[in-house]
Amino acid sequence: MRTGSVEDAMVRVQVVLGGCGLSVRDLSSVGKGTIIELESKAGEPVDLVAAGEVVAKGEVVVIDENFGIRVTELAGVKATP
């Protein structure tokens, strides 16, 4: 049996930029080069999601050649002015 702390368990997280609704017809015609407009605006906060739940909001940053997220708000915690 392995011992360790539950805090050491790995959790997969996702950053959600936005979404949109597509008809089945539109979805079936998606191909290489297709551009799909999202409902979110550029510069709006993105959602950090773990286990299907939004845990934080943040802004997209570039680190070397990778994307990252700078957390600006934790879920359930009001930002102070």
Side-chain angles (χ1 to χ4, degrees):
M1 174 159 68
R2 293 175 44 172
T3 61
S5 174
V6 70
E7 286 110 4
D8 294 331
M10 297 297 290
V11 177
R12 187 84 177 149
V13 296
Q14 298 174 318
V15 175
V16 179
L17 294 173
C20 67
L22 292 176
S23 69
V24 173
R25 175 177 284 115
D26 289 341
L27 185 58
S28 68
S29 66
V30 168
K32 185 175 180 176
T34 300
I35 296 174
I36 299 171
E37 184 176 353
L38 302 176
E39 293 167 342
S40 56
K41 305 285 186 219
E44 282 186 350
V46 295
D47 292 335
L48 179 65
V49 178
E53 299 288 328
V54 175
V55 295
K57 292 189 176 290
E59 56 190 26
V60 176
V61 296
V62 177
I63 307 162
D64 296 323
E65 294 182 8
N66 296 320
F67 289 111
I69 179 175
R70 177 179 294 121
V71 174
T72 57
E73 179 180 336
L74 296 175
V77 178
K78 299 272 185 182
T80 55

